[in-house]
Amino acid sequence: MTIPVFLYGQENNVWLDRGIDFSFEVTGYGQFIRCFSGDQCTGAGVATTFDFPQDVADGVPVQIFSPSMTEINHAFVRADSDIEGPADLEGRVMGADQLSSGTTQSFRAYWIEEHGFDLMEDTDEIVDASSASLYDMLVEDEEIDAAIMFTGFTIDALADDRFRSISYLADEWTDQTGYPPQVTMHGAFENFVTSSPDAVLSFWEGWVEAVELFESNFEDAIAQYGVLAGLDLEDDAEMAEVERLVEEAPLFPTDWGEGWIDSHVEFYDMLERNDAIDSAPGRDSFLLHDELE
């Protein structure tokens, strides 16, 4: 979902107007993960929230300077299910897309801490399958009792009255800390931060303008670049749900400060306490903008 924002921003020269010329290539997800683990990119870029702590643990010299995209995934049950919350899944059959993924492990860690329920240990069975398969297994075949859906299928499920959400991590973490967890964040190599702090700030300012343009010209931006984000432009309910997320979530936050950093650090500490990651990055892995100037 960040792809349309970047491309629409580039189309409107939000970075060129700030003296920044960078390439943006739509590639497989792993390309973005490897970016900060090797020499495939320089300067600033998109870091995945769940891989970032491993980068830090491996000594990759990258620091986070802003949010990027909010975690929007939900855990769903059938609309007529008697399941009201995570603890009700004890002894049930649950599905998740990639049990080792950041989303699944984030839900698991949070549920252990807040609900005393471990989706890996306390369910009767945990089914590891694609979101597309889980979608059918939940509402068509009724082979599972609940499922954590991933981005595009979360949007589909929210727009489908056969589903009901029982857990929305972003809302719950916002209620607890004031800020939602992120799927991606913006990071930069330390040497780039040191040598080009103005460029890092300009990158962020360009992103803010790109988000504002995307939000105010949603239909035009989605018509041009929505397919690259995996959206079905012919599905009116899906498009309405995406627009709602953009307006209300917010899907792409445009503020940053100590509160954001504290929330991120607390989130990582929670993941570490519940064995979702090996070690949590500390406060020094995050940069306030006035620390760049």
Side-chain angles (χ1 to χ4, degrees), residues 32-258:
F32 293 107
I33 295 171
R34 289 196 300 274
C35 183
F36 283 119
S37 300
D39 58 1
Q40 295 191 29
C41 72
T42 58
V46 178
T48 64
T49 299
F50 211 77
D51 290 274
F52 172 63
Q54 188 60 54
D55 286 339
V56 172
D58 290 343
V60 179
V62 61
Q63 293 177 297
I64 299 301
F65 62 87
S66 83
S68 174
M69 177 179 167
T70 296
E71 168 70 72
I72 67 167
N73 294 323
H74 291 240
F76 292 97
V77 296
R78 288 181 290 280
D80 61 357
S81 172
D82 62 349
I83 297 169
E84 297 296 331
D88 297 331
L89 292 170
E90 185 168 359
R92 303 293 188 102
V93 179
M94 182 172 181
D97 190 333
Q98 305 172 51
L99 297 183
S100 62
S101 70
T103 290
T104 301
Q105 289 302 312
S106 293
F107 270 88
R108 182 191 183 205
Y110 183 76
W111 286 358
I112 288 173
E113 194 136 307
E114 296 301 315
H115 302 283
F117 171 80
D118 186 335
L119 65 85
M120 303 288 288
E121 303 293 336
D122 299 332
T123 51
D124 180 61
E125 182 183 356
I126 185 80
V127 177
D128 189 344
S130 69
S131 288
S133 297
L134 294 173
Y135 203 97
D136 291 335
M137 293 169 71
L138 184 58
V139 295
E140 298 290 349
D141 306 322
E142 299 190 5
E143 296 178 19
I144 57 177
D145 298 302
I148 298 174
M149 297 292 185
F150 279 23
T151 308
F153 289 93
T154 281
I155 292 169
D156 284 344
L158 289 171
D160 188 332
D161 60 11
R162 296 176 299 172
F163 289 86
R164 177 167 54 82
S165 171
I166 61 164
S167 182
Y168 181 22
L169 183 58
D171 262 3
E172 293 170 46
W173 193 252
T174 300
D175 288 344
Q176 193 164 311
T177 70
Y179 302 89
Q182 300 292 286
V183 176
T184 54
M185 302 178 292
H186 292 137
F189 288 113
E190 289 178 2
N191 60 358
F192 188 71
V193 171
T194 302
S195 64
S196 307
D198 291 343
V200 175
L201 284 172
S202 294
F203 179 91
W204 164 245
E205 291 167 359
W207 172 256
V208 171
E209 184 178 350
V211 169
E212 291 171 350
L213 284 169
F214 177 79
E215 291 176 346
S216 60
N217 300 279
F218 176 78
E219 291 185 3
D220 180 46
I222 284 295
Q224 292 188 66
Y225 303 114
V227 172
L228 291 174
L231 300 176
D232 181 357
L233 304 186
E234 302 302 316
D235 189 328
D236 292 339
E238 182 177 321
M239 289 300 98
E241 186 59 37
V242 173
E243 188 167 16
R244 184 191 68 78
L245 287 169
V246 168
E247 293 176 351
E248 298 177 12
L251 191 57
F252 308 110
T254 55
D255 60 325
W256 181 248
E258 284 286 2

